[in-house]
Amino acid sequence: MLYVPIGQLQPGMVVAKAVSQTRNKVSFVQRGYSLDRRAIARLKDLGVAAIWIECDGVDEVADKINDVVVERRQDLTCFLLNTTDAIQQGRGKGKLLAAHFQSKVGALLDEIMDDPTHEPIVSGVGADCGLLIPHLTNCCYLCLLLGTHLSGYVRDQRKRMSVRMAEDVRELGIGAYVHDLGKVQLSDKAQKTNALSRNAADAEYRSHVTKGAELFRGEFSSLVVYMVTHHHQRYDGKGFPVVQGRAGIGEPRGLAGDRIHIFARILSAVNVFDHLLGTPDAPRPTIQALSTLRQMQIQGWFDPVIVAALIRLVPPFMVGSVVELDDGRPAVVVCNNAEAPCSPTIQVISGKPGVAGASKVGGRIDLRDTKSTTIAKVNGVDIAKYHFEPPPISEGELAAWGLRSKAVRAAQIDMAEALSSNT
């Protein structure tokens, strides 16, 4: 099974997983459908970014995809589409709406807890739903995944709370899920602006954090409202909005370092990372986004622990990706290696992967064992310059952070207690 961008689809490729409309889940194409030019054009018109395609010789890829996690993410996308409609029409407030948000995010968290080491899917969520909805859904998923794997670090950063409260990351997911909804009250230009845009200092764009906070104040916990307000704070203190110093001393400035709540720090990094992945109609390879996070010009923006964890947790090459080796051979990524993320295990393919007549060549190749062979392209995009070594992290640090250890389901807590927490 292959994950093929819409621009790489060819007639005759066979659909491996049904592609559904986001709002009502009606299928555009069913599993087993043999694509023709008309169907490919229709998928492009509908805004579909990529689909799963059958491919002989790499059957194990299907076993690595957690379909329930994918389904829960689709549920989030569908619900959020209807929610933004309600907000724009002035019907977007109320305790019942907040309860629905909590339920949807909680369902996704439950599945992550049940299978914490599943292969992360960082793109392809939602078609025909613009830019904002997929971004919020992706950020919610990645924040929950990162918070789950950083349970030790999160607990350390919330020392004043009980262990079971400190490790519960549902509010992290909720804050990520709603963090940009203030944008629906802005102009089209401001809605399309993000932290990486040239006009990121635009006052209207920056107002989305306060508009979002006003929208949810009194409906969600103070921590969720805090995340909405401060998800653009930077670790170096150069983010926004500016706040007055303690006791009114000093010039107003952005929050810095540990003064920023750990949940806002996680969301800040994930928010920018998702924008680095591009848009549904102009996606960028994951390895490029991860490599950019390490560049000097934005290194100071984020908590270094969170960046290091994100780079180790999200694989540069998603399983099922079609790659080209530096000797020109096509191959499919079948397994990722966390300690050497740019050297996954691959299966070389003869012919065009996913097209009739293609077949596997030889056995699996673990690129950690073949230093002379590297991946040069992914889905037709040259990525050779983006290869990187993961940041060195000792076993002791990994254990303290909780990264890649088996996540433990947090004890059920009283939601009223959680919602009343200001920490």
Side-chain angles (χ1 to χ4, degrees):
M1 190 169 72
L2 312 175
Y3 193 65
V4 182
I6 197 72
Q8 301 289 315
L9 294 177
Q10 294 187 15
M13 287 183 168
V14 178
V15 177
K17 290 181 181 291
V19 183
S20 301
Q21 186 179 25
T22 302
R23 191 178 295 275
N24 56 21
K25 297 189 178 180
V26 174
S27 292
F28 296 143
V29 291
Q30 297 286 351
R31 177 183 177 184
Y33 183 82
S34 180
L35 294 172
D36 53 25
R37 296 188 184 280
R38 182 178 178 182
I40 295 172
R42 175 63 173 159
L43 290 171
K44 288 181 180 179
D45 290 342
L46 292 168
V48 177
I51 65 174
W52 289 99
I53 294 295
E54 297 284 2
C55 181
D56 292 337
V58 289
D59 296 338
E60 70 267 42
V61 169
D63 297 331
K64 295 181 181 295
I65 306 303
N66 188 316
D67 289 329
V68 180
V69 169
V70 172
E71 184 178 350
R72 294 292 176 266
R73 292 176 67 186
Q74 291 173 337
D75 289 343
L76 287 178
T77 304
C78 180
F79 177 71
L80 204 52
L81 263 176
N82 295 319
T83 299
T84 54
D85 290 346
I87 291 173
Q88 288 174 322
Q89 296 169 18
R91 299 181 288 106
K93 299 191 74 171
K95 295 294 184 183
L96 182 60
L97 180 61
H100 284 309
F101 273 93
Q102 294 155 8
S103 174
K104 296 294 183 183
V105 172
L108 175 58
L109 178 58
D110 285 344
E111 296 304 330
I112 292 174
M113 289 293 209
D114 283 342
D115 185 13
T117 58
H118 68 274
E119 283 290 329
I121 306 296
V122 297
S123 60
V125 177
D128 70 302
C129 55
L131 300 178
L132 179 61
I133 306 302
H135 172 64
L136 293 175
T137 303
N138 285 343
C139 284
C140 176
Y141 166 68
L142 287 171
C143 280
L144 289 175
L145 189 66
L146 198 54
T148 298
H149 282 276
L150 277 174
S151 58
Y153 188 59
V154 169
R155 183 176 64 248
D156 178 72
Q157 295 292 299
R158 307 179 82 189
K159 289 186 176 74
R160 290 182 294 174
M161 306 179 72
S162 66
V163 170
R164 68 190 187 105
M165 285 287 292
E167 291 186 354
D168 192 287
V169 295
R170 278 175 290 184
E171 287 184 290
L172 170 61
I174 294 169
Y177 192 37
V178 304
H179 76 273
D180 267 350
L181 282 180
K183 281 188 172 183
V184 302
Q185 300 177 344
L186 307 182
S187 65
D188 289 344
K189 179 181 179 181
Q191 287 187 39
K192 294 176 181 177
T193 303
N194 63 61
L196 301 171
S197 301
R198 291 182 178 179
N199 59 330
D202 176 71
E204 184 192 7
Y205 157 68
R206 291 195 168 194
S207 73
H208 76 275
V209 299
T210 53
K211 288 184 180 295
E214 292 167 3
L215 187 65
F216 297 117
R217 186 170 286 112
E219 313 302 332
F220 290 100
S221 72
S222 58
L223 177 51
V224 169
V225 174
Y226 176 99
M227 290 177 64
V228 172
T229 304
H230 294 295
H231 68 272
H232 281 289
Q233 297 292 354
R234 286 171 29 178
Y235 203 67
D236 59 10
K238 298 179 181 179
F240 69 89
V242 296
V243 297
Q244 181 65 54
R246 292 175 180 172
I249 299 174
E251 292 294 324
R253 57 177 299 175
L255 299 176
D258 291 350
R259 286 193 62 202
I260 308 168
H261 192 282
I262 180 62
F263 284 3
R265 277 181 268 153
I266 291 174
L267 175 55
S268 174
V270 166
N271 176 54
V272 170
F273 171 67
D274 190 65
H275 285 308
L276 286 170
L277 291 170
T279 61
D281 59 342
R284 299 190 190 101
T286 305
I287 188 175
Q288 180 180 351
L290 291 170
S291 179
T292 303
L293 278 181
R294 296 164 53 84
Q295 293 179 3
M296 289 299 296
Q297 58 264 41
I298 66 172
Q299 272 190 352
W301 290 20
F302 314 113
D303 183 333
V305 171
I306 292 168
V307 174
L310 182 62
I311 289 172
R312 288 185 64 91
L313 187 59
V314 176
F317 306 106
M318 192 175 78
V319 292
S321 296
V322 178
V323 300
E324 183 180 311
L325 304 181
D326 53 1
D327 58 11
R329 290 180 295 169
V332 177
V333 175
V334 296
C335 183
N336 280 297
N337 303 309
E339 69 280 9
C342 293
S343 299
T345 299
I346 60 168
Q347 173 62 63
V348 175
I349 301 291
S350 174
K352 177 71 175 179
V355 175
S359 60
K360 66 178 183 178
V361 177
R364 306 290 186 264
I365 300 175
D366 188 336
L367 293 180
R368 293 174 297 180
D369 301 329
T370 57
K371 301 300 183 183
S372 60
T373 302
T374 61
I375 295 175
K377 295 182 179 180
V378 56
N379 293 321
V381 179
D382 189 346
I383 51 82
K385 65 181 179 181
Y386 297 118
H387 280 257
F388 61 86
E389 293 293 329
I393 305 172
S394 69
E395 289 299 322
E397 287 177 303
L398 286 177
W401 295 353
L403 185 63
R404 282 289 184 188
S405 61
K406 182 174 177 57
V408 178
R409 181 185 296 277
Q412 290 298 312
I413 63 174
D414 183 354
M415 183 54 71
E417 180 186 3
L419 293 179
S420 65
S421 171
N422 293 324
T423 305

